[in-house]
Amino acid sequence: MKRTLLLLSLAAVFSGARAQKVPADLIIRSVSVIDVERGRTAADQAVVVKDGRIIAVTPTGKLRHSAPVEVDGSGKFLMPGLWDNHMHFGGGDTLAHENRNLLPLMLAYGITGVRDCAADISHFVLPWRDSIAKGLIDGPHIFTSGPKLEGYKSVWKGDIEIGTKEELAKALDSLEGLRVDFVKITDNTLQPALYLESIRETRKRGLAISGHVPYAIPMKDIVDAGISSIEHITYLLKAGSSEEAGISKGVADGSLKGRALSEKINTTYDKASARKMFRYMASKGVAVTPTLSLGHILSYWDEHDRSHDDYLRYIGKGLQSTYAGRVNNILKHDAAAIAQRKASYERSSAVLADLVAANVTILAGTDAGYLNSYCYPGLALHEELALMVKYGMTPQQALKASVINGPKFLQQKGYGAVAPGMHADLLLLDANPLDDIHNTQKIRGLVSGGRWRDRAQLDELLAETARRTAAGI
């Protein structure tokens, strides 16, 4: 009798334990979790998701949760979703639908966050941003600058042109009214003094500011004004010149320009001078987004003509038409010009290693989107990561530049780690990208906003994007 009562009691205990399992929405079990910050993995983990957040990460054997969706992650690797920290929506209102189709395309390539660095359709992008945040439409989280700041009669469409401090104040009022996530500034026609004033006034309002940099201004002055990030590594060649002050002066007074300017910058880049300036930038928290992808595509076009890529099935005809300008220009190059553009690309890309050595924060971004020829939203981020590794970063550093430094730049918490309390934006891979950065392309599944999509569902996103693109919708 006592033995029977004991067995019944134990059965009741185990039954109660099963009944008391904590409910969740999704469990990925038996998976190796990648810690991007530390560059290591933890094997045989269970990751539990509820209401769009991770609520537990535990050894699979200690799992105390249940969920209607369970994924077997055996032999797989789980990391935070990727961020493309420099891309562009744009091309005018008539191309808004083609830009809209890029949202599921980027998800299918594991991109769960993007930084839109200004274009001319902000009145579409801002509602997309808010709708995605509310879970009303699918797409990566969007953080946008809205229209960029520029001078009068700039080459850029849809920017805010300013020429006085009063116009600057009104422009910043307008951007704050749009609730932009940061401010973008470029240097086409904006006067140097107003450029610096734009940085200072933007920072006073508590907004981060990223941009191109005028060659007429020494880098130290730009850093001291308070710029948050510099877009495109090519600007860092001048910053690393042993004669930067003289170059800036020559540009400002008009005595140095064109080919002579380029040759002066290229021949006076000096590692000691560069690392001194780069360490100063690092001390002030200035980030750099190298955007190696577009330059590589154009520089090596003779070796890889992308005009017949299968990927173009996802890119609308209108967006493709914006690619023509840059490509038509390089098609005019003779053998000497081709060699020169390749050498120039290699020279600027080599600067990445010096930036890393100086502990400058690097953001992984592509320049993908309209206008930037054959730099494809989605795929480009994977290509960018591979180029970053080729030119001086470890796979761990490149991943960090995407998934940790991107959110941190924007002061967004809850991203960049597979840990309790974080957003459930997760990428399940067949192989470990810490071993080989190309493994980011071996996507087995994606969690976005807490929703699981397996490989078949991601393929359907691609197929639907291709259908919509072919139909022009």
PDB file of all heavy atoms in Angstrom, residues 9-33:
ATOM      1  N   SER A   9       2.063   9.383  -5.695  1.00  0.00           N
ATOM      2  CA  SER A   9       2.525  10.724  -5.322  1.00  0.00           C
ATOM      3  C   SER A   9       3.554  11.239  -6.304  1.00  0.00           C
ATOM      4  O   SER A   9       3.504  12.389  -6.740  1.00  0.00           O
ATOM      5  CB  SER A   9       3.105  10.692  -3.901  1.00  0.00           C
ATOM      6  OG  SER A   9       3.600  11.967  -3.558  1.00  0.00           O
ATOM      7  N   LEU A  10       4.522  10.367  -6.680  1.00  0.00           N
ATOM      8  CA  LEU A  10       5.542  10.771  -7.641  1.00  0.00           C
ATOM      9  C   LEU A  10       4.930  11.083  -9.002  1.00  0.00           C
ATOM     10  O   LEU A  10       5.310  12.040  -9.677  1.00  0.00           O
ATOM     11  CB  LEU A  10       6.592   9.667  -7.784  1.00  0.00           C
ATOM     12  CG  LEU A  10       7.520   9.480  -6.585  1.00  0.00           C
ATOM     13  CD1 LEU A  10       8.390   8.244  -6.775  1.00  0.00           C
ATOM     14  CD2 LEU A  10       8.401  10.715  -6.388  1.00  0.00           C
ATOM     15  N   ALA A  11       3.959  10.261  -9.402  1.00  0.00           N
ATOM     16  CA  ALA A  11       3.274  10.499 -10.682  1.00  0.00           C
ATOM     17  C   ALA A  11       2.584  11.847 -10.681  1.00  0.00           C
ATOM     18  O   ALA A  11       2.586  12.573 -11.678  1.00  0.00           O
ATOM     19  CB  ALA A  11       2.270   9.384 -10.943  1.00  0.00           C
ATOM     20  N   ALA A  12       1.981  12.182  -9.540  1.00  0.00           N
ATOM     21  CA  ALA A  12       1.297  13.473  -9.433  1.00  0.00           C
ATOM     22  C   ALA A  12       2.283  14.626  -9.536  1.00  0.00           C
ATOM     23  O   ALA A  12       2.011  15.651 -10.174  1.00  0.00           O
ATOM     24  CB  ALA A  12       0.528  13.544  -8.121  1.00  0.00           C
ATOM     25  N   VAL A  13       3.483  14.452  -8.907  1.00  0.00           N
ATOM     26  CA  VAL A  13       4.501  15.501  -8.955  1.00  0.00           C
ATOM     27  C   VAL A  13       4.961  15.738 -10.388  1.00  0.00           C
ATOM     28  O   VAL A  13       5.029  16.858 -10.873  1.00  0.00           O
ATOM     29  CB  VAL A  13       5.704  15.134  -8.055  1.00  0.00           C
ATOM     30  CG1 VAL A  13       6.865  16.094  -8.322  1.00  0.00           C
ATOM     31  CG2 VAL A  13       5.303  15.202  -6.600  1.00  0.00           C
ATOM     32  N   PHE A  14       5.300  14.610 -11.090  1.00  0.00           N
ATOM     33  CA  PHE A  14       5.768  14.752 -12.471  1.00  0.00           C
ATOM     34  C   PHE A  14       4.683  15.306 -13.375  1.00  0.00           C
ATOM     35  O   PHE A  14       4.937  16.107 -14.260  1.00  0.00           O
ATOM     36  CB  PHE A  14       6.257  13.408 -12.994  1.00  0.00           C
ATOM     37  CG  PHE A  14       7.584  12.994 -12.390  1.00  0.00           C
ATOM     38  CD1 PHE A  14       7.709  11.794 -11.721  1.00  0.00           C
ATOM     39  CD2 PHE A  14       8.692  13.829 -12.478  1.00  0.00           C
ATOM     40  CE1 PHE A  14       8.920  11.424 -11.159  1.00  0.00           C
ATOM     41  CE2 PHE A  14       9.907  13.465 -11.918  1.00  0.00           C
ATOM     42  CZ  PHE A  14      10.023  12.250 -11.248  1.00  0.00           C
ATOM     43  N   SER A  15       3.439  14.878 -13.138  1.00  0.00           N
ATOM     44  CA  SER A  15       2.328  15.386 -13.941  1.00  0.00           C
ATOM     45  C   SER A  15       2.150  16.874 -13.722  1.00  0.00           C
ATOM     46  O   SER A  15       1.929  17.644 -14.644  1.00  0.00           O
ATOM     47  CB  SER A  15       1.041  14.640 -13.580  1.00  0.00           C
ATOM     48  OG  SER A  15      -0.055  15.185 -14.294  1.00  0.00           O
ATOM     49  N   GLY A  16       2.299  17.297 -12.445  1.00  0.00           N
ATOM     50  CA  GLY A  16       2.173  18.716 -12.128  1.00  0.00           C
ATOM     51  C   GLY A  16       3.277  19.524 -12.763  1.00  0.00           C
ATOM     52  O   GLY A  16       3.064  20.632 -13.252  1.00  0.00           O
ATOM     53  N   ALA A  17       4.510  18.936 -12.795  1.00  0.00           N
ATOM     54  CA  ALA A  17       5.632  19.645 -13.402  1.00  0.00           C
ATOM     55  C   ALA A  17       5.381  19.871 -14.889  1.00  0.00           C
ATOM     56  O   ALA A  17       5.668  20.934 -15.426  1.00  0.00           O
ATOM     57  CB  ALA A  17       6.918  18.853 -13.205  1.00  0.00           C
ATOM     58  N   ARG A  18       4.825  18.810 -15.539  1.00  0.00           N
ATOM     59  CA  ARG A  18       4.524  18.970 -16.961  1.00  0.00           C
ATOM     60  C   ARG A  18       3.445  20.025 -17.174  1.00  0.00           C
ATOM     61  O   ARG A  18       3.490  20.825 -18.078  1.00  0.00           O
ATOM     62  CB  ARG A  18       4.075  17.630 -17.552  1.00  0.00           C
ATOM     63  CG  ARG A  18       5.212  16.634 -17.758  1.00  0.00           C
ATOM     64  CD  ARG A  18       4.758  15.498 -18.657  1.00  0.00           C
ATOM     65  NE  ARG A  18       3.683  14.735 -18.063  1.00  0.00           N
ATOM     66  CZ  ARG A  18       3.848  13.681 -17.273  1.00  0.00           C
ATOM     67  NH1 ARG A  18       5.079  13.273 -16.992  1.00  0.00           N
ATOM     68  NH2 ARG A  18       2.818  13.031 -16.774  1.00  0.00           N
ATOM     69  N   ALA A  19       2.457  20.033 -16.290  1.00  0.00           N
ATOM     70  CA  ALA A  19       1.337  20.962 -16.426  1.00  0.00           C
ATOM     71  C   ALA A  19       1.762  22.401 -16.175  1.00  0.00           C
ATOM     72  O   ALA A  19       1.153  23.327 -16.674  1.00  0.00           O
ATOM     73  CB  ALA A  19       0.218  20.572 -15.488  1.00  0.00           C
ATOM     74  N   GLN A  20       2.842  22.572 -15.389  1.00  0.00           N
ATOM     75  CA  GLN A  20       3.266  23.914 -15.008  1.00  0.00           C
ATOM     76  C   GLN A  20       4.287  24.510 -15.959  1.00  0.00           C
ATOM     77  O   GLN A  20       4.878  25.534 -15.659  1.00  0.00           O
ATOM     78  CB  GLN A  20       3.841  23.869 -13.586  1.00  0.00           C
ATOM     79  CG  GLN A  20       2.794  23.573 -12.522  1.00  0.00           C
ATOM     80  CD  GLN A  20       3.401  23.335 -11.157  1.00  0.00           C
ATOM     81  OE1 GLN A  20       4.563  23.644 -10.924  1.00  0.00           O
ATOM     82  NE2 GLN A  20       2.621  22.781 -10.242  1.00  0.00           N
ATOM     83  N   LYS A  21       4.546  23.876 -17.096  1.00  0.00           N
ATOM     84  CA  LYS A  21       5.468  24.456 -18.057  1.00  0.00           C
ATOM     85  C   LYS A  21       4.979  25.835 -18.490  1.00  0.00           C
ATOM     86  O   LYS A  21       3.798  26.043 -18.725  1.00  0.00           O
ATOM     87  CB  LYS A  21       5.613  23.549 -19.278  1.00  0.00           C
ATOM     88  CG  LYS A  21       6.550  22.365 -19.035  1.00  0.00           C
ATOM     89  CD  LYS A  21       6.902  21.670 -20.334  1.00  0.00           C
ATOM     90  CE  LYS A  21       7.957  20.604 -20.098  1.00  0.00           C
ATOM     91  NZ  LYS A  21       8.357  19.937 -21.356  1.00  0.00           N
ATOM     92  N   VAL A  22       5.925  26.770 -18.597  1.00  0.00           N
ATOM     93  CA  VAL A  22       5.577  28.153 -18.906  1.00  0.00           C
ATOM     94  C   VAL A  22       5.229  28.286 -20.385  1.00  0.00           C
ATOM     95  O   VAL A  22       6.015  27.876 -21.254  1.00  0.00           O
ATOM     96  CB  VAL A  22       6.751  29.080 -18.552  1.00  0.00           C
ATOM     97  CG1 VAL A  22       6.393  30.542 -18.877  1.00  0.00           C
ATOM     98  CG2 VAL A  22       7.139  28.921 -17.097  1.00  0.00           C
ATOM     99  N   PRO A  23       4.078  28.837 -20.714  1.00  0.00           N
ATOM    100  CA  PRO A  23       3.691  28.960 -22.126  1.00  0.00           C
ATOM    101  C   PRO A  23       4.488  30.042 -22.850  1.00  0.00           C
ATOM    102  O   PRO A  23       4.817  31.088 -22.286  1.00  0.00           O
ATOM    103  CB  PRO A  23       2.205  29.319 -22.057  1.00  0.00           C
ATOM    104  CG  PRO A  23       2.045  29.989 -20.729  1.00  0.00           C
ATOM    105  CD  PRO A  23       3.015  29.298 -19.807  1.00  0.00           C
ATOM    106  N   ALA A  24       4.794  29.774 -24.099  1.00  0.00           N
ATOM    107  CA  ALA A  24       5.509  30.734 -24.947  1.00  0.00           C
ATOM    108  C   ALA A  24       4.950  30.619 -26.359  1.00  0.00           C
ATOM    109  O   ALA A  24       4.018  29.852 -26.615  1.00  0.00           O
ATOM    110  CB  ALA A  24       7.007  30.447 -24.915  1.00  0.00           C
ATOM    111  N   ASP A  25       5.495  31.400 -27.274  1.00  0.00           N
ATOM    112  CA  ASP A  25       5.030  31.374 -28.663  1.00  0.00           C
ATOM    113  C   ASP A  25       5.919  30.510 -29.552  1.00  0.00           C
ATOM    114  O   ASP A  25       5.442  29.896 -30.508  1.00  0.00           O
ATOM    115  CB  ASP A  25       5.011  32.799 -29.235  1.00  0.00           C
ATOM    116  CG  ASP A  25       4.089  33.724 -28.468  1.00  0.00           C
ATOM    117  OD1 ASP A  25       3.047  33.240 -27.976  1.00  0.00           O
ATOM    118  OD2 ASP A  25       4.408  34.917 -28.351  1.00  0.00           O
ATOM    119  N   LEU A  26       7.206  30.485 -29.248  1.00  0.00           N
ATOM    120  CA  LEU A  26       8.173  29.818 -30.120  1.00  0.00           C
ATOM    121  C   LEU A  26       9.346  29.312 -29.300  1.00  0.00           C
ATOM    122  O   LEU A  26       9.815  30.005 -28.385  1.00  0.00           O
ATOM    123  CB  LEU A  26       8.678  30.813 -31.185  1.00  0.00           C
ATOM    124  CG  LEU A  26       9.922  30.437 -31.995  1.00  0.00           C
ATOM    125  CD1 LEU A  26       9.629  29.263 -32.918  1.00  0.00           C
ATOM    126  CD2 LEU A  26      10.430  31.646 -32.793  1.00  0.00           C
ATOM    127  N   ILE A  27       9.813  28.126 -29.623  1.00  0.00           N
ATOM    128  CA  ILE A  27      11.022  27.592 -29.015  1.00  0.00           C
ATOM    129  C   ILE A  27      11.932  27.072 -30.122  1.00  0.00           C
ATOM    130  O   ILE A  27      11.499  26.327 -31.003  1.00  0.00           O
ATOM    131  CB  ILE A  27      10.724  26.439 -28.032  1.00  0.00           C
ATOM    132  CG1 ILE A  27       9.890  26.943 -26.844  1.00  0.00           C
ATOM    133  CG2 ILE A  27      12.023  25.804 -27.525  1.00  0.00           C
ATOM    134  CD1 ILE A  27       9.386  25.826 -25.939  1.00  0.00           C
ATOM    135  N   ILE A  28      13.185  27.519 -30.110  1.00  0.00           N
ATOM    136  CA  ILE A  28      14.214  26.936 -30.972  1.00  0.00           C
ATOM    137  C   ILE A  28      15.135  26.153 -30.048  1.00  0.00           C
ATOM    138  O   ILE A  28      15.803  26.727 -29.194  1.00  0.00           O
ATOM    139  CB  ILE A  28      14.989  28.025 -31.739  1.00  0.00           C
ATOM    140  CG1 ILE A  28      14.023  28.867 -32.578  1.00  0.00           C
ATOM    141  CG2 ILE A  28      16.054  27.387 -32.632  1.00  0.00           C
ATOM    142  CD1 ILE A  28      14.688  30.040 -33.282  1.00  0.00           C
ATOM    143  N   ARG A  29      15.144  24.839 -30.179  1.00  0.00           N
ATOM    144  CA  ARG A  29      15.872  23.996 -29.234  1.00  0.00           C
ATOM    145  C   ARG A  29      17.084  23.337 -29.894  1.00  0.00           C
ATOM    146  O   ARG A  29      17.195  23.264 -31.108  1.00  0.00           O
ATOM    147  CB  ARG A  29      14.947  22.932 -28.653  1.00  0.00           C
ATOM    148  CG  ARG A  29      14.330  22.002 -29.690  1.00  0.00           C
ATOM    149  CD  ARG A  29      13.636  20.806 -29.040  1.00  0.00           C
ATOM    150  NE  ARG A  29      12.427  21.157 -28.308  1.00  0.00           N
ATOM    151  CZ  ARG A  29      12.222  20.856 -27.027  1.00  0.00           C
ATOM    152  NH1 ARG A  29      13.146  20.224 -26.340  1.00  0.00           N
ATOM    153  NH2 ARG A  29      11.083  21.179 -26.446  1.00  0.00           N
ATOM    154  N   SER A  30      17.994  22.911 -29.026  1.00  0.00           N
ATOM    155  CA  SER A  30      19.193  22.156 -29.442  1.00  0.00           C
ATOM    156  C   SER A  30      20.041  22.924 -30.453  1.00  0.00           C
ATOM    157  O   SER A  30      20.636  22.339 -31.367  1.00  0.00           O
ATOM    158  CB  SER A  30      18.778  20.800 -30.030  1.00  0.00           C
ATOM    159  OG  SER A  30      17.990  20.075 -29.111  1.00  0.00           O
ATOM    160  N   VAL A  31      20.127  24.232 -30.290  1.00  0.00           N
ATOM    161  CA  VAL A  31      20.828  25.077 -31.236  1.00  0.00           C
ATOM    162  C   VAL A  31      22.093  25.653 -30.605  1.00  0.00           C
ATOM    163  O   VAL A  31      22.172  25.817 -29.376  1.00  0.00           O
ATOM    164  CB  VAL A  31      19.908  26.220 -31.724  1.00  0.00           C
ATOM    165  CG1 VAL A  31      19.677  27.260 -30.624  1.00  0.00           C
ATOM    166  CG2 VAL A  31      20.455  26.871 -32.977  1.00  0.00           C
ATOM    167  N   SER A  32      23.094  25.964 -31.421  1.00  0.00           N
ATOM    168  CA  SER A  32      24.287  26.664 -30.948  1.00  0.00           C
ATOM    169  C   SER A  32      24.043  28.165 -31.068  1.00  0.00           C
ATOM    170  O   SER A  32      23.796  28.676 -32.168  1.00  0.00           O
ATOM    171  CB  SER A  32      25.511  26.270 -31.772  1.00  0.00           C
ATOM    172  OG  SER A  32      25.868  24.925 -31.541  1.00  0.00           O
ATOM    173  N   VAL A  33      24.085  28.861 -29.937  1.00  0.00           N
ATOM    174  CA  VAL A  33      23.806  30.298 -29.900  1.00  0.00           C
ATOM    175  C   VAL A  33      25.113  31.072 -30.041  1.00  0.00           C
ATOM    176  O   VAL A  33      26.077  30.818 -29.306  1.00  0.00           O
ATOM    177  CB  VAL A  33      23.094  30.676 -28.588  1.00  0.00           C
ATOM    178  CG1 VAL A  33      23.011  32.188 -28.444  1.00  0.00           C
ATOM    179  CG2 VAL A  33      21.697  30.069 -28.556  1.00  0.00           C
TER     180      VAL A  33
END
